[in-house]
Amino acid sequence: MVRISRWHHDHIWDPTHECMDPEQLRQLQLERLQATLNRVYKNVAFYKKRFREIGFVPEDDLTDLDDIKRLPFTSSEDVSNSYPYEMFAVPLREVVRVHSSSGTMVNPRVVGYTRQDLKTWSNLVARILTSAGVTADDVIQITFGYGMLTGGLGIHYGAELIGASVLPTSTGRTERQIKIMKDFRTTVLVSTPSYALVIADRMDELGVDPKTLSLKYVVCAGEPWTEEMRQEIQERLFALVTDNYGISEVIGPGVAGECLERAGMHIQEDHFLAEVIDPSSGEPVPPGELGELVLTTLTKEAFPVIRYRTGDLCRIIETPCACGRTFRRISRIEGRSDQVVVIKGVNIVPERIGDVLEKIKGERPPYQLVAIREGHEDHLEIRIAITEALFYDKMREQRALVDVMRQKVANFIGITPRIRLIENRSLRRDEKGNVILFIDERKLQ
Amino acid sequence: MVRISRWHHDHIWDPTHECMDPEQLRQLQLERLQATLNRVYKNVAFYKKRFREIGFVPEDDLTDLDDIKRLPFTSSEDVSNSYPYEMFAVPLREVVRVHSSSGTMVNPRVVGYTRQDLKTWSNLVARILTSAGVTADDVIQITFGYGMLTGGLGIHYGAELIGASVLPTSTGRTERQIKIMKDFRTTVLVSTPSYALVIADRMDELGVDPKTLSLKYVVCAGEPWTEEMRQEIQERLFALVTDNYGISEVIGPGVAGECLERAGMHIQEDHFLAEVIDPSSGEPVPPGELGELVLTTLTKEAFPVIRYRTGDLCRIIETPCACGRTFRRISRIEGRSDQVVVIKGVNIVPERIGDVLEKIKGERPPYQLVAIREGHEDHLEIRIAITEALFYDKMREQRALVDVMRQKVANFIGITPRIRLIENRSLRRDEKGNVILFIDERKLQ
């Protein structure tokens, strides 16, 4: 089924770095880490305080990469608490782009980029796309959301740097996406894995035969997925599918990506220092074992992060890769270490939904979130127990309340949930009788 | 109420060109026009055929700018008929970006950009934004749609070139837009005029005092509007409002823009040749008189257009401007010369909606489009006569049909209409008894 030749395997965007001697890489990492730590110590009050608390002076105390283990982790709450600009390491005047999370925390996590950061980012995405087979000859359709989230614009700049013909279709309107894919002769589709399958379903309905398309590659990211899903996308869209990894707080897309060997995602180790830890103890786990990915930026100017806990569970792969790249790899993201739920690429903290509901009538109703997959499309259903305050005699008023709830939650998280009012005893509970805040009915594994 | 100083008036992005001697400008235009005509004659079959039909050989027959009047106009249908890539003047390999209209024609109008075109575009938008007061110190919030339409990404690249801090918020989620405006200390808002008023309304509801914001400028475009709306936005958002003009087939945003004198929009005459014609005769109208704007690109590589009929009605202003720029200006766009209806920045041809409805049940029902303004938000209502084929006994089935109609139309034009089924005789008709296809209840004038 694969239309590409081995020839593509030789394509490497930046062989000087991507095929670096490991010893030299460690030296480069050390120098860059020292520079980064000096910078945050000098420019970011948050880190200065943290470092001082443990008596850590970067220029004296960092002589080996392992010294980083003395430093405390940075959490998503730390970033959220520094809203909006407190963790920026340069004045706002030098910042040319601001992105943020969709705001499911009390405050969204805001990140900034200098002109140099945007260049770095574009280069990293160009590496990822090149390793996934993309060249200047390709027509690349980007179905990630453009806007405050980093997905769309992140991939866009990298694709443009390569010189591919970029179709910035952004999200939604599947029928139109398919028409564009067909008429514009798209060769590369960038999407979440589940949306790739939504497209495949819709093609079936419309009677579009994927073999008549020009599609060669599907570049996937943005949510947990499985090897079975990859196989299904490959077979149904008749194209080769690769995985890649990004996270806004670290840079966005471009942190790590699979080459065409598809045996784990190469971490861009000259720009990011990766650790995998036991989420409860914080101690490193051995290569090959599952743990939480922790990342430190080595070159970011506007928004460096030190030992950022991504919440994403994966394994480090140290065996050499046939592609020639020397960077270590991470396995597919196998889940989350925290309360965060990912639906349609949006991170949701179930607790925060309660805050939104509470504001509406001044009372926090019992509720639970349910992730549902219909066909290949994910939906969020919120089940809310009918309490005195939420109950109306008149159907019209009841429906108006549901509309308000849907609207307020949609405003908050950026996707529109289904709201179901149910009796309190119908909410699913754990063995202690507590309402289970989140039920995943998508059966990913 | 104005917070800015006269000092800003001196800011000109590219004084060498923007303040050019008119005689030199005409010489530059002539050289660039010759190069453009030679290029399209050589590379675009559509123009070659057109030119041959009238025996026009660019290198012999163009010795004066006025010679362009011998050439036929290019229409939006011409662009639509060349779907998707037939009018591109370079191979697809050299195209790094593709945009398109929202597809309200049978085929959307597709345009492409080379790397050089993107540079030109960014520079033109940087000029427009600079003339509207924007500098590297600003925090600019872009509420235009990012994606296949040119508005969002067009402004984005220009703002980034200036070095402003760009917040790519894209459309929708007004409450979040306001939160961002407040918390991120936005100084420049880019939006359609009606959305600026939607934001003002919402601020009132939320109790946000615009005087507590950092907002200095609102940069408006994308739909017909009035001087009264400008005054209202200025007073309610406590910021200075300028108008600008762009059109995807020509380049996108950046064709013309007001300086802070706000006395008409300077046309970027070193890149575009502007004519204003009588829409029925095609003959030029004198300066100051209303006519249809016709544009010819002078530097575009991937997608040049010759005498493109924009359908937009305006006047040429030839009096000097106090800002020092020597480019002539166009007045506010006062309407359309054709069947195209603009709602929420989307161009809609009422006839085409009938095509969509016809496909659903195999019959073209009598229908009419109504543009409604509620508060400051525009809506599209489609009134459809209930015919035999569209009538169901069961409410549930009737509702399902309406849902399908809404969905199909939304897929086609990109905005979600309200569907109202009404009796045939309730549709408004003209004196001849024909159903009026479009009724504008927004009362713009």
Side-chain angles (χ1 to χ4, degrees), chain A residues 206-235:
Chain A
L206 296 169
V208 174
D209 178 0
K211 289 190 184 160
T212 63
L213 299 177
S214 309
L215 203 64
K216 289 188 299 183
Y217 301 109
V218 182
V219 179
C220 282
E223 61 191 10
W225 58 313
T226 63
E227 195 54 34
E228 289 67 42
M229 283 175 78
R230 187 209 301 261
Q231 293 305 327
E232 188 180 346
I233 300 169
Q234 294 199 145
E235 281 160 26

Side-chain angles (χ1 to χ4, degrees), chain A residues 92-106:
Chain A
L92 200 51
R93 195 182 201 283
E94 291 173 34
V95 171
V96 295
R97 178 93 62 81
V98 176
H99 281 284
S100 89
S101 64
S102 46
T104 55
M105 304 291 174
V106 175

Side-chain angles (χ1 to χ4, degrees), chain A residues 139-201:
Chain A
V139 176
I140 180 168
Q141 182 167 344
I142 302 174
T143 69
F144 286 159
Y146 280 65
M148 289 304 274
L149 299 178
T150 50
L153 284 168
I155 296 285
H156 179 96
Y157 275 59
E160 208 158 84
L161 182 60
I162 287 181
S165 306
V166 180
L167 311 175
T169 51
S170 198
T171 49
R173 299 179 71 193
T174 306
E175 200 167 323
R176 175 164 161 272
Q177 300 272 8
I178 293 169
K179 182 173 165 60
I180 287 175
M181 200 179 300
K182 200 169 67 174
D183 296 346
F184 292 49
R185 301 191 282 282
T186 298
T187 59
V188 180
L189 175 69
V190 176
S191 91
T192 60
S194 60
Y195 192 60
L197 288 170
V198 168
I199 288 176
D201 286 346

Side-chain angles (χ1 to χ4, degrees), chain A residues 223-229 290 313 315 332-336 373 440-445:
Chain A
E223 61 191 10
W225 58 313
T226 63
E227 195 54 34
E228 289 67 42
M229 283 175 78
L290 194 68
L313 297 174
R315 303 159 201 273
R332 178 188 301 285
I333 304 300
E334 296 180 34
R336 296 281 309 174
R373 177 158 295 170
D440 199 335
E441 294 188 347
R442 290 175 293 189
K443 301 194 197 72
L444 277 179
Q445 311 304 334

Side-chain angles (χ1 to χ4, degrees), chain A residues 346-362:
Chain A
V346 173
N347 289 7
I348 301 164
V349 182
E351 267 296 328
R352 295 289 81 73
I353 301 292
D355 300 346
V356 176
L357 297 175
E358 187 170 336
K359 274 192 200 150
I360 297 173
K361 301 288 292 180

Side-chain angles (χ1 to χ4, degrees), chain A residues 83-85 92-93 95-98 115 137 147-148 156-157 160-161 163 165-166 168 173 176 183-184 411, chain B residues 83-85 92-93 95-98 115 137 147-148 156-157 160-161 165-166 168 173 176 183-184 411:
Chain A
Y83 176 88
Y85 299 140
L92 200 51
R93 195 182 201 283
V95 171
V96 295
R97 178 93 62 81
V98 176
R115 233 182 250 288
D137 290 323
M148 289 304 274
H156 179 96
Y157 275 59
E160 208 158 84
L161 182 60
S165 306
V166 180
R173 299 179 71 193
R176 175 164 161 272
D183 296 346
F184 292 49
N411 267 339
Chain B
Y83 177 86
Y85 299 139
L92 200 51
R93 195 182 200 283
V95 171
V96 296
R97 178 95 61 81
V98 176
R115 232 182 251 287
D137 289 324
M148 289 303 273
H156 179 97
Y157 275 59
E160 207 159 85
L161 182 60
S165 305
V166 181
R173 299 178 72 192
R176 174 164 162 272
D183 296 346
F184 292 50
N411 267 338

